[in-house]
Amino acid sequence: MVDRPNQQVYPLVPAADRQIRRSDENIEDSGPLIPDHVLRRKKRIKLAIYISAFVVFEIMVILVFALVLMKARTPKVRLGTNVTFQNFKIGTQARPSFDLSFTAQVRVKNTNFGPYKFDSTNATFMYQGVTVGQVTIPKHTAGMRSTKKVTVTVNVNSNALPSTTKLGSELGAGVLTLNCHAKLKGKVVFMLMMKKKKSAEMNCTMTVDSSTKAVKSMIC
């Protein structure tokens, strides 16, 4: 018989022990275990960061809204050019006088992001600084970013004019120039709660053509 050289014999390791050793090695490779209360704390911190970022974003949105959208702008008021005459009596250069009755539209343009509520006021019509007629503009509301049209009936005449006016020479040229002034006082309402006072003035010059019995020009 041939003698085999001496060989070192290792004992067999059971399969269960090998599996446990692999599991231990995997745990060591993945690092130490983190306790549950630490994980929960990290989640709470991350959630608090998200909530804080959202709150900051909302505050910035509110500030932009307040500075841009809720900035109260002064409404614009003017007379419309669609004037309809019911009574049209104008004298001559030798005997100057006028007696007019007409309907006109007062236009209140509101460019705000909220309605403009204005009180009742008077519009005064003048000829060379002398009051020749008045009309009441009733209380109304101009909606958000819209124009409110208020129809009024106006009566003007030359009864209060002194004899020193240049009415005769103007009527001889076939025109009559009237000035109209009004001041609206009201409030711009934002979000149904915030109110900002705003006044709007109307200054218009209306030139009437006596030959065509119509408004020749309207400058506001």
Side-chain angles (χ1 to χ4, degrees):
M1 295 180 62
V2 180
D3 294 334
R4 295 182 179 179
N6 293 331
Q7 296 181 352
Q8 187 175 0
V9 179
Y10 296 95
L12 296 176
V13 179
D17 293 341
R18 291 198 300 269
Q19 185 67 28
I20 292 173
R21 185 176 298 171
R22 293 193 188 97
S23 299
D24 293 340
E25 292 174 353
N26 293 334
I27 292 174
E28 291 177 358
D29 294 340
S30 61
L33 290 176
I34 301 176
D36 291 340
H37 71 278
V38 176
L39 292 175
R40 288 194 295 269
R41 182 185 176 190
K42 288 185 176 181
K43 289 182 179 179
R44 287 196 296 268
I45 293 174
K46 187 180 293 185
L47 181 62
I49 292 173
Y50 289 154
I51 292 175
S52 300
F54 178 76
V55 171
V56 171
F57 175 76
E58 287 294 318
I59 292 174
M60 291 178 64
V61 171
I62 292 173
L63 288 176
V64 171
F65 180 80
L67 293 175
V68 178
L69 300 184
M70 297 181 67
K71 181 180 179 181
R73 302 173 180 86
T74 302
K76 297 179 181 180
V77 189
R78 59 164 297 160
L79 277 179
T81 56
N82 52 339
V83 176
T84 303
F85 288 93
Q86 284 83 34
N87 181 41
F88 196 98
K89 294 180 181 179
I90 289 183
T92 62
Q93 185 174 3
R95 302 183 63 181
S97 66
F98 62 84
D99 186 1
L100 308 177
S101 177
F102 57 90
T103 57
Q105 282 187 344
V106 177
R107 299 183 178 184
V108 183
K109 185 178 181 180
N110 177 30
T111 59
N112 292 288
F113 287 89
Y116 176 62
K117 299 180 179 181
F118 56 91
D119 299 326
S120 175
T121 189
N122 289 330
T124 302
F125 287 80
M126 294 173 288
Y127 178 80
Q128 294 186 358
V130 180
T131 300
V132 294
Q134 280 189 335
V135 66
T136 299
I137 302 174
K139 179 179 179 180
H140 272 289
T141 299
M144 176 181 67
R145 298 185 65 81
S146 64
T147 300
K148 180 65 179 180
K149 299 176 182 179
V150 183
T151 302
V152 293
T153 300
V154 184
N155 294 291
V156 294
N157 58 65
S158 58
N159 295 339
L161 292 180
S163 57
T164 56
T165 61
K166 299 179 180 180
L167 180 60
S169 59
E170 192 175 45
L171 293 180
V175 295
L176 174 64
T177 303
L178 299 173
N179 299 107
C180 178
H181 173 77
K183 185 175 183 179
L184 298 182
K185 294 182 179 181
K187 297 177 181 179
V188 180
V189 183
F190 296 108
M191 305 291 291
L192 301 177
M193 298 179 294
M194 298 182 62
K195 298 179 180 180
K196 293 187 178 181
K197 293 182 179 180
K198 277 293 177 181
S199 297
E201 291 194 32
M202 174 178 67
N203 289 291
C204 296
T205 300
M206 179 176 67
T207 302
V208 180
D209 191 327
S210 60
S211 59
T212 60
K213 296 183 179 181
V215 173
K216 185 177 181 180
S217 67
M218 181 77 73
I219 302 174
C220 295

